[in-house]
Amino acid sequence: MEGHMNYTIKNDFLTVEVSDAGAELQSVRSAGGTEYLWQGNPEFWRDRAPNIFPYVARMTDGKYTACGKPYEMKIHGFVKYMTLQMERQTAEGITFRLDSCEETRAQYPYEFTYRITYTLEGKTLVTTSSVENHGSERMYFALGGHPGFHVPLEEGLSFEDYCLEFDAPSHPYRVGFTDKCFLNGQDGLYALEDDRRIPLSHDLFDEDAVVLKHVPRSVKLASPKGKRSVTVTYPDFPYIGFWHKPKSEAPYVCIEPWSALPSRDGVIEEISQQADLTCLDAGKVYETSWRIEFE
């Protein structure tokens, strides 16, 4: 990215590049040269793996209120649009930070430090997010990830050869969205093949993201015909989203752990009243991690 710095961490199995622009992953390559991460082809989606904070997805009219005062924020919050400071780096780990500033206060009234750390543990990339409340009042926020992965992951296979498979049987609910991806209150049972799998097809995303709740906290992107796979494990995140550009044959899938949901259709939410946001008291620190294993 022009004007931005890329940083590299690596071990015997993986080489990972991260930009200070949004602390966004740019590349995850195996020792054998396989690139797992979507590379941002603008024909389909120019991003690669945005970090989500302090709000997940859309707000009605891009607006919300905090203590009755109006604010505006873009989809998935502001981290993806900010340059983060590289705070520390080792061979196998790197931490970026964002402190509240004039630009964040215009959109979000709280005083905070947001950190994101990437750490390699064998074939697994661990993403740890922390939020520190420097203010004198409780703050409210959501966190999430939005990484895209190439599908297929190896030559000779097709998109439809792959499936998303949970690590245990379940009967999840699909979160009901309007055509503009606001909550419509119409959640419904979502049938999984053998109570575990979602076979991939491009038309799966014709109505935009598939966001599920009441699911196991680990899901694997793989093909029975192939050897390579990606497993995302998200113990603290109650929602998982799957997405690619609607009504396209985009050769990737995003696997998105979400801590909260977008606003209700037609409602400009008061942030302190939104039930699924994380509440953090003055002076406290919140931390959560999720993992991506690459085979």
Side-chain angles (χ1 to χ4, degrees):
M1 294 184 179
E2 190 175 340
H4 286 283
M5 284 281 293
N6 276 7
Y7 299 84
T8 300
I9 57 174
K10 67 185 298 185
N11 65 9
D12 291 342
F13 305 102
L14 296 169
T15 300
V16 175
E17 292 180 23
V18 192
S19 173
D20 62 1
E24 183 178 0
L25 294 172
Q26 298 298 298
S27 173
V28 180
R29 292 190 312 279
S30 71
T34 297
E35 176 63 72
Y36 290 91
L37 194 73
W38 170 247
Q39 290 296 288
N41 178 349
E43 178 185 353
F44 297 108
W45 184 53
R46 67 178 62 252
D47 293 334
R48 301 186 186 194
N51 293 305
I52 299 172
F53 174 82
Y55 198 83
V56 169
R58 292 170 172 82
M59 297 171 160
T60 296
D61 298 334
K63 298 176 181 177
Y64 73 101
T65 62
C67 301
K69 185 177 178 182
Y71 291 90
E72 295 189 18
M73 199 185 301
K74 293 180 180 178
I75 183 172
H76 291 316
F78 48 67
V79 163
K80 64 176 287 189
Y81 304 104
M82 308 285 290
T83 300
L84 276 67
Q85 174 191 346
M86 197 282 284
E87 189 171 47
R88 58 183 175 270
Q89 181 178 14
T90 64
E92 299 184 20
I94 190 165
T95 298
F96 295 85
R97 71 180 284 169
L98 174 67
D99 295 296
S100 49
C101 60
E102 191 173 332
E103 187 175 348
T104 67
R105 288 182 205 109
Q107 307 170 66
Y108 183 70
Y110 304 103
E111 298 295 322
F112 66 88
T113 296
Y114 165 91
R115 286 183 175 89
I116 185 162
T117 299
Y118 298 104
T119 309
L120 288 170
E121 296 179 359
K123 295 180 179 179
T124 298
L125 177 64
V126 182
T127 300
T128 301
S129 301
S130 73
V131 181
E132 187 171 353
N133 183 357
H134 298 303
S136 57
E137 58 191 28
R138 179 177 289 178
M139 65 181 286
Y140 302 86
F141 60 88
L143 292 163
H146 200 309
F149 304 105
H150 285 299
V151 184
L153 285 166
E154 48 202 296
E155 290 184 16
L157 299 183
S158 70
F159 189 89
E160 291 79 11
D161 287 328
Y162 284 77
C163 67
L164 295 157
E165 182 169 353
F166 292 100
D167 68 344
S170 69
H171 298 91
Y173 276 73
R174 182 175 183 175
V175 177
F177 284 156
T178 68
D179 57 0
K180 294 185 179 178
C181 293
F182 297 108
L183 299 186
N184 64 12
Q186 297 173 16
D187 301 350
L189 270 171
Y190 189 79
L192 301 176
E193 184 180 275
D194 295 330
D195 294 336
R196 294 175 81 116
R197 286 185 297 277
I198 303 173
L200 285 188
S201 61
H202 291 296
D203 61 6
L204 186 67
F205 307 107
D206 281 356
E207 297 176 7
D208 218 289
V210 175
V211 178
L212 303 180
K213 63 182 183 178
H214 309 317
V215 288
R217 299 298 174 91
S218 185
V219 66
K220 183 176 186 176
L221 169 67
S223 169
K225 299 178 181 179
K227 296 178 179 177
R228 299 194 182 111
S229 65
V230 174
T231 302
V232 181
T233 304
Y234 42 96
D236 298 336
F237 293 80
Y239 310 104
I240 189 74
F242 307 114
W243 178 84
H244 80 25
K245 182 182 179 182
K247 296 183 172 63
S248 79
E249 295 192 359
Y252 68 92
V253 166
C254 292
I255 301 177
E256 306 176 39
W258 289 3
S259 74
L261 293 171
S263 78
R264 293 169 291 175
D265 185 32
V267 177
I268 295 177
E269 303 282 3
E270 164 58 39
I271 198 166
S272 65
Q273 300 301 308
Q274 189 164 332
D276 56 9
L277 295 181
T278 300
C279 308
L280 185 63
D281 287 333
K284 300 295 186 181
V285 180
Y286 176 85
E287 184 174 287
T288 185
S289 295
W290 55 285
R291 307 164 68 87
I292 312 172
E293 182 180 0
F294 301 91
E295 285 288 353

